[in-house]
Structures are given as C-alpha cells and as structure tokens.
Amino acid sequence: MKRFCWILYIFIHLFLLISCSSTDVDTKNTVSPVPEIFIKQEGLLLPVSESTVELRKMPFSIVVRFSKPGSIMLNASLSSETFNNALSGHQVNSLRGFKKTAIDEEPFNKSKALYISTETPQVWYYTDDSDHSFNTTEKIENYTICTREISFLIDYDSGNKQIEITKLKENFIYLVIISFDWNEDFTQIREKDRKLLRLKFIF
C-alpha cells in the first residue's frame, strides 16, 4: 500500500511539473489582453450585456484593472462608426477613431473628463502612483485598480467644448479600447487586443 501511494505521489508530481511547463510556454506565446475595464456609478459596478452598459445621465467612473504598469489607447465617440467597424474586425490602423495623434492630456485627470472625438484617441496609462492618467489608484492583491472619474465630456473636435453629463443630448457613448505597442519607427500602433463598450444612458 505504501509503495502504491509513493508511486501515485511521483506520478502526480511529474504531471504537475509537465502542466506548469506547458503553461509557461503558452504564456510566453500569448499576447497581452486589454486590462479589465469596468463602469461604476453611485458606488456600484454596472453589469455588461452584449458590450452594452446602461447608466444614468450623471457622473460615472471608468475603472481599469492593470496587472502591471501599462497603457491602453481609447477612442470615445458619440458616433457609432469606429465602434461598428471595430466590432466587424477592421484593423486598428484603418479605424477612423485612431487616425490622428493621441490627445495630449494633463496627468491625473484633474478635470474629471472624458474626451470625445470621431478621429482622435487618448492614451490612459499607469507607470506608478506618481505618474498616471487617473484620479485614484489602489493596490488590491496583484492588481492596480485605476479609477477615472467622469463628470464632463470634452468635445475635442469642437475646440475642447465641455459638456456636462447631465446635459448630454445623445443617449450613447461608444468606447473602443486597444491594448497596443509600437512598430520599430513608432509611426503605427500594433494591436494586441481590443475591448468594445457601448454606454447607453437610459434616463
């Protein structure tokens, strides 16, 4: 009986070693996904159904969960064009919302704003607690939870006109979020993964 238990132990140990080795190889060959994105309003995380989040026309937050320092490129628009084309699988460099150089924002989102544009993206990043694009950051286990509070929209295409969320006439904001790196001469982004979110204001 002891001999059987010892053989079983060795078999399980070898199986775990092989499994871990396979996992290491797979991890190296897997592209980095978009960090997890959540929408929060009045202290509650809102459910996502078919890439759509329903919320009220009042301030909300976009929460990004980074597993390590990193960045995302995001286009927010009142037009569905970039969202629909991204959903159809168009390459990022052919998407209208990523045609122009990213918006040059101040750190820490002091204006508590979300830039909207039909052709221009923005880059949100977390380097460390002293250098990031968010209002607040928090360490939970092995993650950094970065929260961007949104009280205003800034219409980049109309000379940075501010729009209060409560006075927004449209009922949708379309978000296309890209995990990326650059080509060798930094002239084009190379997409790793994407996430689409449609914010639907129900009242």
Side-chain angles (χ1 to χ4, degrees), residues 177-194:
I177 303 150
I178 302 292
S179 176
F180 71 100
D181 59 16
W182 294 95
N183 63 359
E184 292 181 358
D185 57 1
F186 293 92
T187 56
Q188 286 190 327
I189 63 172
R190 294 185 297 203
E191 179 179 352
K192 293 181 176 181
D193 202 357
R194 67 179 59 176

Side-chain angles (χ1 to χ4, degrees), residues 71-152:
S71 60
I72 54 174
M73 187 170 287
L74 175 148
N75 175 256
S77 179
L78 300 177
S79 165
S80 63
E81 178 183 349
T82 295
F83 181 94
N84 290 337
N85 286 336
L87 189 63
S88 297
H90 291 212
Q91 295 295 313
V92 62
N93 291 305
S94 69
L95 295 175
R96 187 179 180 187
F98 295 86
K99 288 293 187 183
K100 295 186 177 181
T101 302
I103 297 166
D104 185 17
E105 292 188 63
E106 62 179 352
F108 312 123
N109 188 32
K110 295 176 182 178
S111 58
K112 296 186 177 181
L114 174 66
Y115 282 85
I116 55 172
S117 174
T118 56
E119 296 186 331
T120 310
Q122 51 209 287
V123 175
W124 295 355
Y125 68 93
Y126 175 82
T127 303
D128 55 41
D129 287 346
S130 65
D131 184 21
H132 58 78
S133 304
F134 301 87
N135 294 97
T136 62
T137 64
E138 181 182 7
K139 298 287 194 306
I140 298 179
E141 296 181 348
N142 296 323
Y143 297 97
T144 302
I145 311 300
C146 300
T147 300
R148 187 161 174 122
E149 299 172 16
I150 310 297
S151 297
F152 297 90

Side-chain angles (χ1 to χ4, degrees), residues 159-172:
N160 291 336
K161 176 184 175 183
Q162 282 196 359
I163 305 170
E164 291 184 31
I165 299 296
T166 55
K167 297 180 180 178
L168 180 66
K169 295 179 180 179
E170 290 80 2
N171 292 324
F172 291 92

